[in-house]
Amino acid sequence: MNRYIRIGKASEILGVTPQTLRRWEQKKTLLPDKIGLSGTRYYLKDKLLGHKSTESELTIGYARVSSNDQKKDLATQTKRLSSYCASHGWTYKILEDLGSGMNYRKAGLKVLLDHILEGKIKRLVLTHKDRLLRFGAELIFALCEAKQIEVISFEEELAQAAFSPIAYVYTYLPS
């Protein structure tokens, strides 16, 4: 027997925000199965589970700073990650951590690892690769590669573009 669920629960099942479901409705990507008199959207749970397996398009942006006095930097990272993901039109979620890059027990990092291991995400976006962990980040990148999750560090992309071989031309002049 199919059961109707509200938009909030449907968004949890799919790993997206209710706002994303509304956007999908506008684009006719995923329509609600029923709309109540008050405008409440309802989805068939069985139908969503089928959609989940084919539509794992979630992007995770991960921001971290080491101490409380860097909270401004955390907000800046979060804004930059949000802007970057939104500019690419991705469905995204930002995870934040406050703690040392050598601490593996941060809440956001644990959620990120769960998402990676369960194959719930399509890509991981970082402002810089060392934001993830100071040591051991390569292990997480290897997990992402094994799960076919794209890892993007957009500050490094910008730096590589600025310092590409085309940007500099060396001329050898004999003396």
Side-chain angles (χ1 to χ4, degrees):
M1 175 181 208
N2 286 329
R3 199 180 78 156
Y4 288 102
I5 57 174
R6 291 177 176 218
I7 192 169
K9 184 67 177 167
S11 68
E12 285 178 26
I13 289 172
L14 293 173
V16 297
T17 64
Q19 199 170 19
T20 298
L21 285 176
R22 289 185 190 99
R23 192 171 53 245
W24 287 353
E25 179 183 351
Q26 289 173 347
K27 293 180 180 178
K28 303 209 183 320
T29 304
L30 179 65
L31 297 171
D33 296 295
K34 182 171 111 177
I35 298 178
L37 294 175
S38 63
T40 304
R41 293 159 174 85
Y42 296 94
Y43 297 84
L44 290 170
K45 188 174 182 177
D46 294 344
K47 185 176 168 185
L48 287 178
L49 293 173
H51 188 76
K52 182 180 178 180
S53 62
T54 60
E55 290 277 329
S56 180
E57 296 290 317
L58 182 63
T59 296
I60 295 286
Y62 183 79
R64 180 194 61 80
V65 293
S66 299
S67 62
N68 277 327
D69 59 340
Q70 295 176 314
K71 282 190 176 181
K72 256 186 169 177
D73 293 336
L74 185 62
T76 301
Q77 277 184 55
T78 300
K79 284 179 188 175
R80 294 183 73 206
L81 288 167
S82 293
S83 296
Y84 186 83
C85 293
S87 72
H88 285 80
W90 297 328
T91 302
Y92 66 94
K93 179 175 164 182
I94 305 296
L95 298 176
E96 296 179 341
D97 272 330
L98 179 65
S100 168
M102 294 189 283
N103 176 1
Y104 293 88
R105 291 174 289 217
K106 296 181 293 287
L109 182 62
K110 287 180 180 181
V111 170
L112 174 63
L113 284 170
D114 286 344
H115 280 25
I116 290 170
L117 293 173
E118 294 171 10
K120 289 184 175 181
I121 63 173
K122 182 173 183 170
R123 71 186 58 82
L124 169 61
V125 180
L126 308 162
T127 54
H128 195 277
K129 288 185 178 181
D130 74 349
R131 290 295 93 203
L132 191 57
L133 289 168
R134 200 53 82 183
F135 302 105
E138 293 80 19
L139 180 61
I140 294 176
F141 298 143
L143 284 172
C144 287
E145 186 178 345
K147 294 286 189 172
Q148 298 178 339
I149 296 168
E150 179 182 13
V151 177
I152 299 169
S153 175
F154 63 83
E155 285 184 352
E156 288 175 3
E157 283 181 6
L158 294 174
Q160 286 175 357
F163 296 108
S164 68
I166 298 169
Y168 294 98
V169 177
Y170 295 100
T171 307
Y172 174 72
L173 298 173
S175 40

